[in-house]
Amino acid sequence: MSSVAIKVEGLVKVYGAIQAVDNISFEINEGEIFALLGPNGAGKTTTLEILQSLRKATKGSVYVLGYDISDNKNVQKLKKEFGVLPQDFNAIDKLTVKENLSVIAKMYDKHVNLDKLIMTLNLEDKSNSKFEDLSGGLKQRLGIAGALVNDPKMIFLDEPTTGLDPRARRDVWRVIEGLKKEGKTIFLTTHYMDEAEILADRVAIIHKGKIVAIGETKTLLEKSGGCRTMILEDVPESITKEIKNRFPKATIVGTDVRIQILKLKEVNEMISYLTKKGIEQSLQITRPSLENVFLGLTGVHLTEEGELA
Ligand code: ATP
């Protein structure tokens, strides 16, 4: 049985009139990649920053690596045992990759060998390049290296691939998978569904401060019916109404129609309906995805980039 790296119970964070985190509870096991997935403003960063003791909880209990973080004495010890890639990570523009890592290393009593760390992140070629000359993906890799300087057991990654191009995102994913192989516990926040699906052993979906689904990624995918979905986009409103009458299972969001497929017969029925009506919108069929889980629970759609709207 794996031990628990993080235990959160009844966590609440209120900013004035805003309930940013609304009574959430979850556990993260040692050695797993856990993703907190949700749209902008869902409460991901607030949760992450409370776990890192950067913000105080309004209510609830949080244990990180066995430490009760409400006790300040624990926080000092704990901070040596985890690493962080903050959202919008930045380093010193005029310093090189290695110099930036040396600056971070000076903040700790002990640190790993920086040349080895640079190799782990495949940054050897860039070791002497200035931060300002790195691409977005390389900057993020330096950020992850910075989170590993103190050889932490656990790493917090706050939206590690936001703003990166697809190739740079995949490079960062490979690095994160490598860290898991080394036995690190990884807590990441993301608003990319594919990122959570590919990387995470377990996922919690957060929406308006509440956890609306939590579990093993594969179990959540199976829960989405384990089924595929038919999608029709940009359908005129008069037709969406008719489709809803004809196919009561359909979810209509704006001008988009989605119907989970249980039997092939349903696809046939839809095709004959579209043909009969002379509707020319192309019918897409998607594989099971966390998007289905999320959409089913919240009605919130994805943007074209695959992010939560
Ligand atoms: P994003 O993906 O945009 O980073 P998020 O899921 O990380 O979003 P949070 O940054 O945790 O969400 O914000 C949750 C809610 O709390 C939002 O409504 C946000 O506007 C609000 N909020 C966050 N920080 C503060 C603050 N310091 N003061 C007041 N409200 C805040």
Side-chain angles (χ1 to χ4, degrees):
M1 267 262 302
S2 53
S3 3
V4 173
I6 289 187
K7 189 173 169 62
V8 172
E9 259 174 9
L11 182 64
V12 173
K13 178 69 183 178
V14 177
Y15 299 110
I18 298 171
Q19 179 105 356
V21 175
D22 188 0
N23 194 17
I24 65 171
S25 302
F26 61 89
E27 286 183 3
I28 302 180
N29 300 315
E30 266 180 17
E32 77 176 354
I33 302 184
F34 181 87
L36 189 61
L37 177 73
N40 288 336
K44 303 181 296 295
T45 299
T46 301
T47 304
L48 204 68
E49 291 186 350
I50 291 171
L51 300 190
Q52 293 163 29
S53 303
L54 296 174
R55 292 179 198 232
K56 281 258 169 257
T58 307
K59 229 168 103 184
S61 74
V62 177
Y63 286 82
V64 179
L65 299 173
Y67 294 103
D68 174 355
I69 67 162
S70 65
D71 182 341
N72 278 337
K73 279 191 271 145
N74 285 342
V75 171
Q76 296 317 316
K77 287 187 223 152
L78 177 62
K79 282 195 172 169
K80 295 182 185 159
E81 294 187 33
F82 66 71
V84 182
L85 172 72
Q87 209 177 105
D88 304 320
F89 163 76
N90 233 316
I92 302 169
D93 270 341
K94 302 289 175 198
L95 296 188
T96 65
V97 164
K98 187 156 180 196
E99 288 164 347
N100 266 301
L101 287 176
S102 304
V103 170
I104 300 172
K106 287 205 176 77
M107 298 194 290
Y108 295 98
D109 312 332
K110 282 190 287 186
H111 63 82
V112 296
N113 178 300
L114 297 186
D115 290 317
K116 268 199 200 152
L117 180 59
I118 286 171
M119 265 162 53
T120 311
L121 274 293
N122 285 328
L123 284 166
E124 324 59 310
D125 295 350
K126 302 289 171 188
S127 183
N128 295 316
S129 303
K130 286 186 184 155
F131 182 71
E132 64 186 359
D133 296 330
L134 301 179
S135 66
L138 291 170
K139 283 180 174 168
Q140 282 303 79
R141 261 148 66 186
L142 173 61
I144 296 176
L148 295 170
V149 160
N150 56 332
D151 194 21
K153 290 185 195 154
M154 148 129 230
I155 306 154
F156 295 101
L157 303 171
D158 197 358
E159 298 190 10
T161 66
T162 295
L164 300 187
D165 64 50
R167 185 158 167 209
R169 292 181 69 211
R170 275 194 291 274
D171 286 347
V172 170
W173 292 347
R174 295 295 90 80
V175 169
I176 296 172
E177 284 164 348
L179 298 177
K180 177 184 154 81
K181 284 201 189 109
E182 284 178 26
K184 312 272 186 206
T185 306
I186 297 161
F187 184 169
L188 81 113
T189 71
T190 183
H191 40 105
Y192 294 116
M193 291 284 172
D194 55 349
E195 187 154 289
E197 275 183 57
I198 287 167
L199 292 178
D201 299 301
R202 289 195 313 124
V203 179
I205 300 180
I206 186 166
H207 183 55
K208 296 185 179 164
K210 285 187 164 46
I211 290 182
V212 292
I214 184 164
E216 284 185 20
T217 315
K218 62 176 187 325
T219 312
L220 288 182
L221 289 171
E222 280 159 15
K223 259 198 198 157
S224 75
C227 55
R228 295 177 185 260
T229 305
M230 290 189 275
I231 302 177
L232 279 166
E233 287 172 339
D234 300 324
V235 180
E237 207 187 322
S238 55
I239 312 259
T240 56
K241 281 195 185 133
E242 202 180 304
I243 292 179
K244 182 73 188 164
N245 285 336
R246 176 88 204 266
F247 302 91
K249 271 201 310 184
T251 314
I252 317 281
V253 182
T255 55
D256 295 349
V257 176
R258 286 162 180 263
I259 305 176
Q260 289 202 340
I261 307 165
L262 295 177
K263 294 182 187 143
L264 192 61
K265 201 173 99 200
E266 293 169 324
V267 181
N268 287 337
E269 280 171 14
M270 177 54 89
I271 291 174
S272 18
Y273 167 77
L274 295 173
T275 316
K276 206 160 100 200
K277 288 276 165 186
I279 298 169
E280 292 186 347
Q281 265 79 7
S282 62
L283 180 69
Q284 300 170 45
I285 296 186
T286 63
R287 63 188 180 84
S289 72
L290 281 178
E291 184 189 352
N292 293 351
V293 180
F294 190 81
L295 187 69
L297 290 164
T298 64
V300 174
H301 245 316
L302 291 187
T303 64
E304 279 177 8
E305 288 75 38
E307 293 175 45
L308 289 164

